[in-house]
Amino acid sequence: MALRVAVIGSGPAGIYTAEALVKQSAEDVRVDVLERLPTPYGLVRYGVAPDHTSIKSIANYLRRVLELPEVRFLGGVTLGTDLSVDDLLGHYDAVVYCTGAMVDRKLGIPGEDLPGSVAATDFVNWYCGHPDVDPGRFTLDTSEIAVIGVGNVAVDVVRVLAKTADDLRSTDVPHDVLQRLAESEVKAIHMVGRRGPEHAKFTLKELRELGDLANADVCVRPDEAVVLGGDFPRQVQGNIKVLQSWAAREPIGRPRRLDVRFWLRPVEILGTERVEGLKLERTRLSEEGRVVGTGEFETLPVGMVLRSVGYQSVPLPGVPFSERTMTVPNEAGRVRDREYVAGWLKRGPTGVIGTNKSDAAETVRTLLADLEGRERGASEPIDTLLAERGVRPVTYEEWLAIEAAEAELARSLGRGERVKLVGLEAMLRACRV
């Protein structure tokens, strides 16, 4: 009897887990990859910026895993709504949770809940066409926007804000979103970091892309680019060199301006009915290396604040969760008997997409060692139970139909290789004609 495993989540962590199960198992294995959306690939589809086509091409690798005969994609199935943990354990020999980190951390400052104060993940989901976000969610009707954070997500956000709609026309940005971007009134974008250039989390490649923006002057204040001596890694040295080169040049009057700011922390988002400004405090490092305020303040006249200070996971129904680490407690991927975890839900939002491959391999080694020699108790596929509950999963073939519809939409609009369909209804219409 084959080993049956359910993988919850079809992002890189989930699909790498499925691949590791097929490769590592010495016995016949069947893997069902369950996903609440009709579409696979997680952050590769809904988190990678649309103009980063080389990173999005990782989907081609993930596709080959889903096409393995031992692997099955079941989209539109939600843990906690359609199936419980007990349901899964009754139909599978093991379950691996791979749902990632889906929400932004909060700043914890006054005014954070004002309209116009938004999690960067919501904005990323918007321009990536995530079905959870209405394409009409954002109207860029303010002249200045602040992005809090100096990591790669923040860089993606400011780059999309700084580009023209024509720059993004050949990408898969949903057409309604592209129209909103074309109507943008944004003139100034402020990317704000609490620490100095040497502490920024963006990669050198991502940073350099900002310097190539044809539609925006990129500006750094010379006093904020100063870095005291230190033995920094090559990546950090590269970042510092680029930022200091920007600090030495003058703006040439491009339509938009991007100010990359350091040594500032948000202390209050100002406004009554919506965001009208962002109050910042100048910072420094204490002798213990902590960020402390100096008592010197400035206010940016922004109409929108996007926070990008890190992702965090959310609890899954019936699954242990640590509010301290915002992860599922585990030992080398083991959660409880026959329950496992991989990816950001396991270790926190660290590493790059490829990090999930080794992470998944560790979890699968633990799983296979635990189940070696144990009697197989899962003989009946989950399909009957889903049918009884009126749940019709989206198959891999139906996902390919969604892809084909997106390619056809791009052709009809004269735009690139594909344009994303928006909303669950549109996707289901495309695959269930």
Side-chain angles (χ1 to χ4, degrees):
M1 187 181 297
L3 171 67
R4 293 184 180 275
V5 181
V7 172
I8 311 303
S10 67
I15 295 180
Y16 286 140
T17 297
E19 180 186 41
L21 283 161
V22 173
K23 287 186 173 181
Q24 291 187 34
S25 179
E27 60 181 304
D28 190 17
V29 63
R30 293 291 180 268
V31 184
D32 282 353
V33 179
L34 281 66
E35 166 62 53
R36 74 178 183 91
L37 299 177
T39 57
Y41 311 143
L43 281 179
V44 173
R45 178 173 168 90
Y46 292 121
V48 175
D51 56 347
H52 273 181
T53 53
S54 61
I55 300 176
K56 292 172 79 68
S57 67
I58 292 171
N60 295 327
Y61 182 95
L62 303 178
R63 172 195 299 268
R64 291 195 291 271
V65 177
L66 291 182
E67 291 175 348
L68 293 171
E70 301 89 346
V71 178
R72 189 169 64 146
F73 173 70
L74 300 176
V77 180
T78 303
L79 177 63
T81 302
D82 301 320
L83 295 171
S84 68
V85 170
D86 286 342
D87 292 331
L88 294 170
L89 292 174
H91 289 78
Y92 296 94
D93 297 301
V95 182
V96 188
Y97 307 110
C98 306
T99 52
M102 298 181 287
V103 298
D104 274 277
R105 288 165 46 204
K106 300 202 88 176
L107 297 170
I109 60 174
E112 188 168 12
D113 295 325
L114 280 169
S117 170
V118 185
T121 48
D122 287 348
F123 191 73
V124 171
N125 285 341
W126 175 68
Y127 66 63
C128 286
H130 197 293
D132 285 352
V133 180
D134 188 318
R137 169 76 170 80
F138 291 98
T139 301
L140 302 176
D141 57 356
T142 180
S143 61
E144 298 197 38
I145 290 178
V147 179
I148 309 302
V150 283
N152 282 344
V153 174
V155 170
D156 284 348
V157 167
V158 300
R159 192 179 65 253
V160 169
L161 286 168
K163 284 190 170 185
T164 67
D166 283 340
D167 292 331
L168 298 168
R169 194 168 299 279
S170 63
T171 72
D172 62 5
V173 168
H175 205 60
D176 288 348
V177 172
L178 191 70
Q179 292 299 111
R180 294 289 178 114
L181 291 170
E183 296 163 0
S184 171
E185 298 177 18
V186 175
K187 300 299 181 187
I189 307 153
H190 310 270
M191 185 165 66
V192 181
R194 295 186 310 141
R195 296 173 179 258
E198 68 271 35
H199 305 112
K201 300 298 184 183
F202 35 60
T203 56
L204 182 57
K205 180 178 181 296
E206 294 261 359
L207 181 63
R208 282 175 170 160
E209 285 184 298
L210 296 183
D212 296 332
L213 291 169
N215 193 53
D217 289 319
V218 183
C219 305
V220 177
R221 301 192 181 191
D223 61 323
E224 294 179 356
V226 173
V227 175
L228 301 178
D231 186 17
F232 301 114
R234 179 179 298 179
Q235 165 80 30
V236 175
Q237 291 180 29
N239 286 346
I240 293 170
K241 184 176 180 180
V242 168
L243 291 164
Q244 290 181 341
S245 72
W246 292 347
R249 68 188 189 187
E250 294 292 327
I252 60 174
R254 291 187 173 103
R256 290 174 183 156
R257 176 184 174 112
L258 168 57
D259 283 310
V260 185
R261 305 292 308 275
F262 296 100
W263 298 114
L264 293 167
R265 68 179 181 188
V267 293
E268 185 178 1
I269 296 174
L270 306 173
T272 51
E273 296 183 358
R274 61 162 294 152
V275 173
E276 297 174 5
L278 174 65
K279 185 177 181 180
L280 301 166
E281 183 180 17
R282 176 69 57 189
T283 61
R284 62 176 178 82
L285 289 183
S286 68
E287 292 182 0
E288 296 79 24
R290 294 173 53 247
V291 174
V292 296
T294 64
E296 178 185 350
F297 298 92
E298 69 174 273
T299 298
L300 300 177
V302 299
M304 179 182 287
V305 174
L306 298 170
R307 64 175 183 273
S308 180
V309 292
Y311 287 119
Q312 65 186 35
S313 297
V314 296
L316 295 173
V319 180
F321 191 77
S322 168
E323 295 289 345
R324 182 180 63 83
T325 63
M326 304 303 287
T327 60
V328 171
N330 69 93
E331 294 182 8
R334 183 191 305 107
V335 180
R336 296 182 294 207
D337 184 41
R338 299 197 294 132
E339 293 180 76
Y340 302 85
V341 65
W344 280 1
L345 188 62
K346 169 186 174 184
R347 68 181 190 276
T350 61
V352 295
I353 290 175
T355 309
N356 291 296
K357 192 165 191 176
S358 57
D359 181 283
E362 178 193 56
T363 293
V364 169
R365 284 193 297 271
T366 301
L367 182 156
L368 294 175
D370 287 351
L371 298 186
E372 185 177 6
R374 290 178 60 166
E375 183 179 350
R376 300 286 170 256
S379 57
E380 182 182 327
I382 200 75
D383 305 59
T384 302
L385 180 60
L386 289 172
E388 290 173 352
R389 294 179 179 176
V391 180
R392 179 184 167 188
V394 175
T395 66
Y396 180 72
E397 290 70 27
E398 288 175 325
W399 151 240
L400 294 181
I402 294 172
E403 277 198 315
E406 292 181 339
E408 177 56 35
L409 179 58
R411 284 191 291 271
S412 70
L413 295 170
R415 287 186 50 197
E417 295 182 0
R418 91 171 48 173
V419 171
K420 282 180 182 162
L421 297 176
V422 176
L424 296 176
E425 289 185 8
M427 286 189 276
L428 292 177
R429 280 198 305 270
C431 69
R432 294 175 175 169
V433 190

